[in-house]
Amino acid sequence: MADTVENKQLLHLVFGGELENLKGVKFSDLDALDIVGIYPNYASAHVAWKSKAQQTVDNAHMRYFIVHLHRLLDPED
């Protein structure tokens, strides 16, 4: 049974942590990564990302990311 565009799950992961420096994407402590959650679409992931990013705005080394899990799970799609 083929999935249609309307009912496909486009999963997105939101996570973040403190970077070692601002020129790269190497985390200073992998054990301290903040896994915010997995969301069913980009819009809801963006809301969560924005909320976490705003909470940590005073720490220049703290970064949050949105990972398109659906692209990793089905790269041919």
Side-chain angles (χ1 to χ4, degrees):
M1 184 161 145
D3 284 310
T4 63
V5 173
E6 294 90 29
N7 65 10
K8 275 194 130 178
Q9 289 184 334
L10 301 178
L11 300 177
H12 293 78
L13 165 69
V14 179
F15 78 102
E18 195 163 336
L19 301 176
E20 284 187 354
N21 66 59
L22 299 177
K23 295 184 181 189
V25 187
K26 185 175 182 183
F27 295 100
S28 59
D29 183 4
L30 292 178
D31 291 329
L33 285 180
D34 181 12
I35 309 298
V36 179
I38 297 175
Y39 299 88
N41 54 52
Y42 181 82
S44 58
H46 187 265
V47 169
W49 167 84
K50 187 174 181 179
S51 173
K52 281 297 201 173
Q54 287 176 339
Q55 290 173 23
T56 59
V57 71
D58 291 336
N59 183 349
H61 285 88
M62 187 64 105
R63 292 286 191 277
Y64 281 86
F65 300 90
I66 299 175
V67 178
H68 300 266
L69 290 179
H70 62 96
R71 292 181 184 167
L72 298 174
L73 296 170
D74 192 4
E76 293 181 19
D77 194 22

